[in-house]
């Protein structure tokens, strides 16, 4: 098992090299000059040239990349072009917001999705089933940013109940959490329902029923546990969607998270900052995937057997 | 069965947004966002008309709501010792010399102080400097400046400022690329005694005092410069406030600097929270909900709503920011003055203002900003389609052959371009709109890879405006029309060396007239600075260059 | 001679018949699925609207030209969906927006399908080093969530239709490569392929004639669902200002400009949002239906 984890982590190295190299080249070849962006409309030619030299931008791209990667190996994400502060610090100060956002989105998603999925499965083909599955379908269809705008319109503008911008208190995360979590809720509810249905049809469930156990107990003690295995995977896979979605959600709700930082850095051609965000996103995404795989093994003994 | 249920669900769901949109609708005016009427709102604004005698600096910007009865307005967002300011852009840096951003200028002005500061009339007045005079150099020119500091100027770390700090700061600023241009005229800086410095400029300099008011030259402690201080973590200066905490992307907190030198201007409100809310309507909502007390950049669409609410005061201040359509004067046929004048006369600038900035600005006719020394509309063409056609006839070419791509880097510019596009169609010119992000726009236009773009320039004095926008040295940088007129260059250089204000005014006016005759670009408008705050926040005030002094604000 | 000709004909006929029956079987199953049919109907309507857009509203006259006196009019008989900040008919822009979103969405998916499909097929069919190299490269792309990748590429390339298509395609290629590789692997070793190999059919021929047609089901499903994802991404990118640029009508861009007027002209954000949601909903319904119809086991 440790060997497996080790192998997976080793496999991450070429991925990080590949991803950062790709992004570095895209960003460097992109039109738009970080120096002119920093100096702005009023820049003089001399200032542009000397700042470019100072920032090492006159070196070939590959040299710049190798220099950047050398620092990365020492755990240093470099200095932001814009603030001249360390990118690690810039990102670290924004991580809590993105974490809070993802956490509230996931909580809202799971809190609603699992009961919804279970009820839908238990009462298959009923009105509740139809309604909850339609809600789920809606969840995967509605654009996060539009849902966000609707929530702001209703809860901030019309009712004045919740803040529409910023990250001042826990209240600030309710609307963004709903906007971001709705999509995940939909996917989780659908998978819960279908795996629940599958389990209900299994022999052991039928046996339990035949033994005369109450339906409630059967569902709670037997069906649920088994049905949740695929759900765990989907919850993990939703992390990717959450990361992408956080960019849009943070933009709509003016949240100071990594997603918005990345967008701002891209438009400012702040290459070290963009790369820093990409590294963080990629690592998070990969580590979550690894954890999901491991968790999957723990929950399902059949899979655990494969590791040993 | 299932089908009909499904379909009714679909319909129900499609209706939900309509319900959200509709509910509460009675609360809104029947004519939504009709910004037509505030198009002539000159009467409540009018505060800091540049060029008007100032006398008291705390000239109230909210004459519209005079004696607001107690209880009018809203409670402070936090408490009576704190003001919460909402702003669109986060500063790139808290250092004074490491950026050249407006957002950074605002916060630098809280934590730091310059030798001079720009007053309401956009003129520099002594700040850290108690008195100054000029002396003749060996050529008999006024290029030596003797400046004496106030006594006991405290930095926020408790140390006292002396001449060494000034020398170190200005020499340091000369090495910082973001701001080096503001010490260009400075040749040497020497310490005379503990409180006196001697600055030698490259001949007489009309810009030195403006330059010394720039945030890049705010005075820093020498010890920290030498220790290679991290200014973002430790922005020590002699300003009225000092940093408490910078939560990246979210907010910056300041509290009063107990060592601030000017006892007459010590902050009336002790704490300042500087909150970053990039989205315009979100800032307005935050103000209306009472979460913030002051909005620096008010969204123009929010003006009618806030204007109607006595709890809030909207400030509309004419600014020196000049916005235009630029054409590349090196590209055929834009090298022909008749073509440029035809385009200029064809643009309905009122419409541009209406659509682009919701009517919140004033028509610009002259090539240089209004409200500055040397401004004039003489020889500038107003909107006149017939005249535009005459110019085209004088040129003699076929307007259909003119190819103009207007680069736009944001929505405001895009809206302006869409009006211009329609205007130019009327004289037979087909213009395209090209969108670019800011970074690409800045480098492409500086490099001259364009036929046209919507742009602008903000400065607080005519000399630096002309220097940046039209001096031939700045081709491939800020001179984007690529104007290259030796006669104009000479006038600009002369103005820099003319310390006498009246003399200088004549030169600058001559330069403006020269430009108006040439029409290198098509002026569109000078927007108003739009800010809003709770009515019970007093002494707010904005200068024509957008500056303001938080330390003078007070809660009623 | 004649006998041979007849056999060929017969073979062709059987093939044709077989294909037809397969198709009609899928169609029969799909038709039973009411939700999928609803999705299909909406999609047909949307595609129809997109194609007929020029007949309904004139692009230069109604869609991009402005009428300042009419700005921000609420919905009424004269302006069914109201007007935007330039006084343009929102209905006209929503309809033309369908044209923008659908054409870019389909082009990008087609692009991704061709590139990703080819890579996946080669990878799955040849295996070994080729497979390893291709899939490791795909892993790199898959390590960044698709939308984030598209955002980065689109932002770096700058806003334009072509760049947008490139960004969207690149971020979708790995998905297609994976799907196609997977299904190629499952059919690669079945008997009829071995038979084809035995009679000396070339690799290319086997790929084109046997392997690809037999791995179509998951690809069709993935394609349908991917169009949905891509249309959503187009809207998201345009919302962030990285996608389609003004004055071209695009739903996400309309939402982004309507956002400023949320307070007083909320209808402005309603209609483009509804348009996006309806499209995605329809594609999802259709995709789910296709999955059930094409291969019940895939469920």
């Amino acid at each position: 098992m440790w060997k497996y984890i080790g192998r997976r982590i080793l496999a991450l190295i070429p991925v990080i090299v590949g991803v950062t190299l790709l992004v570095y080249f895209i960003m460097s070849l992109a039109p738009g000059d970080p120096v002119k962006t920093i100096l702005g409309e009023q820049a003089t030619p001399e200032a542009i040239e000397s700042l470019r030299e100072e920032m090492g931008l006159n070196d070939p791209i590959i040299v710049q990349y190798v220099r950047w990667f050398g620092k990365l190996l020492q755990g240093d994400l470099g200095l932001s072009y814009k603030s001249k502060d360390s990118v690690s610090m810039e990102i670290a100060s924004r991580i809590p917001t993105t974490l809070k956002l993802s956490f509230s989105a996931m909580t809202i998603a799971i809190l609603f999705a699992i009961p919804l999925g279970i009820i839908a499965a238990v009462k298959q083909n009923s009105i509740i089933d139809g309604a909850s599955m339609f809600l789920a379908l809606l969840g995967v269809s509605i654009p996060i940013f539009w849902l966000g705008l609707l929530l702001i319109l209703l809860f901030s503008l019309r009712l004045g109940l919740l803040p529409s911008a910023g990250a001042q208190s826990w209240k600030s995360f309710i609307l963004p959490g709903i906007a971001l979590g709705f999509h995940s809720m939909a996917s989780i509810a659908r998978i819960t329902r279908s795996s629940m249905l599958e389990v209900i049809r299994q022999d052991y469930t039928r046996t339990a029923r035949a033994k005369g156990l109450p339906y409630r107990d059967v569902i709670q003690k037997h069906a649920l546990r088994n049905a949740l295995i695929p759900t765990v995977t989907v919850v993990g896979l939703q992390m990717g969607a959450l990361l992408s979605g956080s960019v849009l959600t943070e933009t709509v709700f003016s949240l100071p998270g990594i997603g918005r930082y990345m967008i701002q850095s891209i438009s400012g051609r702040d290459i070290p900052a963009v790369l820093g965000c990409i590294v963080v996103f990629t690592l998070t995404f990969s580590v979550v995937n690894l954890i999901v795989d491991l968790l999957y093994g723990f929950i399902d003994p059949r899979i655990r057997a494969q590791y040993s | 069965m299932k089908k009909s249920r499904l379909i009714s669900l679909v319909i129900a769901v499609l209706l939900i947004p309509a319900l959200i949109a509709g509910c509460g609708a009675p609360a809104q005016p029947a004519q939504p966002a009709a910004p037509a009427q505030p198009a002539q709102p000159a009467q409540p604004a009018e505060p800091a008309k540049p060029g008007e005698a100032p006398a008291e600096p705390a000239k109230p910007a909210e004459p519209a709501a005079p004696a607001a009865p107690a209880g009018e307005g809203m409670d402070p967002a936090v408490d009576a010792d704190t003001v919460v300011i909402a702003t669109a852009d986060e500063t790139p840096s808290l250092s004074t010399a490491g950026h050249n951003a407006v957002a950074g200028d605002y916060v630098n002005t809280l934590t730091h102080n310059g030798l001079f500061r720009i007053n309401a009339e956009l003129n520099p007045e002594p700040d850290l400097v108690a008195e100054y005079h000029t002396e003749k150099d060996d050529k008999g020119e006024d290029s030596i400046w003797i400046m004496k500091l106030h006594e006991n100027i405290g930095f926020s770390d408790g140390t006292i400022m002396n001449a060494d700090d000034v020398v170190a700061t200005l020499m340091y600023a000369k090495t910082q690329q973001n701001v080096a241009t503001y010490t260009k005229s400075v040749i040497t800086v020497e310490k005379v005694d503990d409180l006196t410095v001697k600055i030698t400029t490259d001949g007489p300099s009309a810009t030195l005092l403006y330059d010394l008011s720039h945030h890049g030259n705010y005075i820093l402690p020498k010890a920290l410069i030498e220790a290679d201080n991290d200014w973002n973590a430790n922005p020590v200066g002699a300003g009225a406030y000092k940093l408490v905490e910078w939560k990246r992307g979210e907010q910056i907190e300041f509290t009063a600097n107990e060592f601030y030198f000017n006892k007459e201007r010590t902050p009336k409100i002790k704490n300042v929270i500087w909150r970053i809310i990039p989205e315009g309507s979100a800032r307005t909502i935050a103000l209306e909900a009472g979460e913030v007390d002051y909005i620096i950049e008010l969204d123009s669409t929010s003006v009618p709503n806030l204007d109607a609410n006595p709890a809030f005061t909207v400030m509309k201040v004419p600014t020196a920011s000049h916005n235009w359509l630029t054409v590349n004067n090196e590209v055929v046929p834009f090298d022909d003055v008749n073509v440029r004048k035809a385009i200029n006369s064809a643009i309905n600038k009122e419409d541009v203002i209406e659509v682009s900035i919701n009517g919140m600005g004033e028509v610009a006719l002259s090539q240089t900003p209004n409200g500055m020394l040397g401004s004039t509309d003489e020889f500038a063409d107003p909107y006149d389609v017939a005249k535009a056609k005459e110019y085209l006839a004088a040129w003699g070419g076929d307007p259909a052959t003119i190819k103009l791509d207007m680069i736009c880097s944001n929505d405001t510019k895009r809206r302006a371009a869409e009006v211009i596009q329609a205007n130019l169609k009327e004289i037979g010119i087909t213009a395209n709109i090209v969108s670019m992000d800011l970074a690409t726009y800045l480098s492409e236009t500086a490099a001259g890879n364009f036929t046209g773009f919507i742009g602008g320039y903000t400065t607080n004095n005519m000399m630096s405006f002309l220097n940046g926008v039209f001096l031939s040295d700045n081709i491939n940088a800020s001179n984007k029309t690529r104007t290259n007129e030796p006669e104009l260059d000479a006038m600009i250089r002369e103005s820099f060396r003319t310390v006498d204000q009246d003399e200088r005014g004549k030169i600058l006016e001559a330069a403006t007239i020269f430009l108006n005759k040439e029409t290198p670009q098509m002026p569109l408008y000078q927007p108003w600075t739009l800010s809003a705050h709770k009515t019970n926040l007093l002494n707010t005030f904005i200068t024509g260059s957008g500056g303001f002094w938080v330390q003078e604000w007070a809660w009623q | 001679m004649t006998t041979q000709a007849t056999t060929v004909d017969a073979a062709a006929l059987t093939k044709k018949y077989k294909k037809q029956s397969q198709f009609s079987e899928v169609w029969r199953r799909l038709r039973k699925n009411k939700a999928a049919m609803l999705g299909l109907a909406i999609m047909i309507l949307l595609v129809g609207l997109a194609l007929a857009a020029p007949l309904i509203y004139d692009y230069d006259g109604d869609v991009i030209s402005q009428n300042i006196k009419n700005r921000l009019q609420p919905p009424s008989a004269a302006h069914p969906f109201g007007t935007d900040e330039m006084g343009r008919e929102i209905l006209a822009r929503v309809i033309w927006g369908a044209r923008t979103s659908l054409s870019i969405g389909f082009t990008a998916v087609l692009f991704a399908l061709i590139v990703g499909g080819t890579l996946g097929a080669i990878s799955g069919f040849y295996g070994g080093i080729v497979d390893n190299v291709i899939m490791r490269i795909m892993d790199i792309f898959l390590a960044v969530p698709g939308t984030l990748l598209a955002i980065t590429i689109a932002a770096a390339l700058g806003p334009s239709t072509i760049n947008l298509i490139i960004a969207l395609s690149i971020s979708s290629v790995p998905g297609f490569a994976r799907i196609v590789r997977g299904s190629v692997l499952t059919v690669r070793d079945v008997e009829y392929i071995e038979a084809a190999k035995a009679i000396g059919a070339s690799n290319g021929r086997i790929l084109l004639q046997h392997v690809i047609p037999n791995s179509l089901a998951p690809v069709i499903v993935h394609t349908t669902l991917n169009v949905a994802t891509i249309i959503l991404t187009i809207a998201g990118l345009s919302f962030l200002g990285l996608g389609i640029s003004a004055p071209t009508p695009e739903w996400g861009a309309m939402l982004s400009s309507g956002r400023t007027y949320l307070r007083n002209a909320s209808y402005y954000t309603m209609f483009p949002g509804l348009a996006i949601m309806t499209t995605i909903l329809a594609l999802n319904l259709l995709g789910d239906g296709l999955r059930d119809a094409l291969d019940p086991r895939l469920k």
Side-chain angles (χ1 to χ4, degrees), chain A residues 16 27 31 60 72 92 97 109 112 122 134 141 145 149 156 191 210 216 283 292:
Chain A
I16 295 282
M27 289 296 298
L72 178 70
T97 304
F112 286 91
V122 174
F134 186 76
S141 305
F145 45 96
L149 291 180
S156 305
I191 203 80
R216 253 188 108 83
L283 278 179
V292 168

Side-chain angles (χ1 to χ4, degrees), chain C residues 7-112:
Chain C
T7 18
V8 170
D9 268 353
L13 265 180
T14 345
K15 210 167 150 192
K16 198 176 164 199
Y17 174 73
K18 203 180 148 208
K19 266 197 180 149
Q20 212 165 23
S21 73
Q22 230 173 18
F23 178 77
S24 56
E25 171 62 21
V26 168
W27 174 240
R28 194 184 56 76
R29 268 185 294 202
L30 189 66
R31 235 178 23 198
K32 277 203 302 197
N33 186 335
K34 299 289 184 276
M37 290 317 285
L38 179 69
L40 184 64
I42 297 176
M43 274 325 287
I44 291 173
L45 186 75
L46 279 169
V47 172
L49 268 180
L51 290 175
L55 303 175
I56 311 172
Y57 283 104
D58 176 45
Y59 187 72
D60 285 326
D62 301 317
V63 180
I64 57 167
S65 82
Q66 52 211 328
N67 181 354
I68 293 150
K69 286 174 194 70
N70 260 339
R71 58 196 306 243
L72 296 170
Q73 298 288 317
S76 64
H79 312 289
F81 284 7
T83 62
D84 68 6
E85 78 277 21
M86 309 275 190
R88 300 174 296 207
E89 208 62 59
I90 291 178
L91 177 60
R93 290 180 66 77
V94 167
I95 290 176
W96 274 84
R99 212 174 151 90
T100 316
S101 293
L102 293 178
S103 59
I104 295 180
F106 285 124
T107 317
V109 170
L110 193 69
F111 231 74

Side-chain angles (χ1 to χ4, degrees), chain B residues 268-320:
Chain B
K268 296 189 177 69
I269 300 176
K270 195 175 163 224
N271 305 307
V272 177
I273 296 177
W274 199 266
R275 191 164 292 165
I276 295 117
I277 307 181
E279 221 277 309
S281 51
R283 286 193 295 279
T284 307
I285 295 166
L287 179 69
E288 288 175 318
E291 296 165 29
V292 304
D293 302 314
Y294 188 103
I295 297 176
I296 298 178
E297 308 93 343
L298 181 66
D299 205 31
S300 56
T301 52
S302 309
V303 173
N305 269 328
L306 291 182
D307 258 344
N309 189 339
F312 304 109
T313 301
V314 177
M315 297 190 284
K316 303 163 187 148
V317 181
T319 61

Side-chain angles (χ1 to χ4, degrees), chain A residues 8 34 37 56 74 83 91 101-102 106 114 123 130 138 162 171 177 193 222 236 265 276 279 289 296 303-304:
Chain A
R8 286 281 298 262
T37 312
Q74 299 156 28
S83 72
I91 289 179
L101 172 63
S102 312
M106 208 30 114
I114 293 182
K123 307 228 183 269
L138 204 66
L162 293 164
K171 272 186 174 173
R193 174 181 178 268
H222 298 267
S265 306
V279 168
N289 281 347
Y296 201 51
I303 298 170
R304 190 164 51 209

Side-chain angles (χ1 to χ4, degrees), chain B residues 400-415:
Chain B
T401 60
I402 298 178
K403 203 180 156 317
L404 176 61
D405 289 325
M406 298 181 286
I407 301 172
C408 302
S409 62
N410 63 36
D411 284 343
T412 308
K413 292 177 178 181
R414 213 168 287 132
R415 291 198 290 266

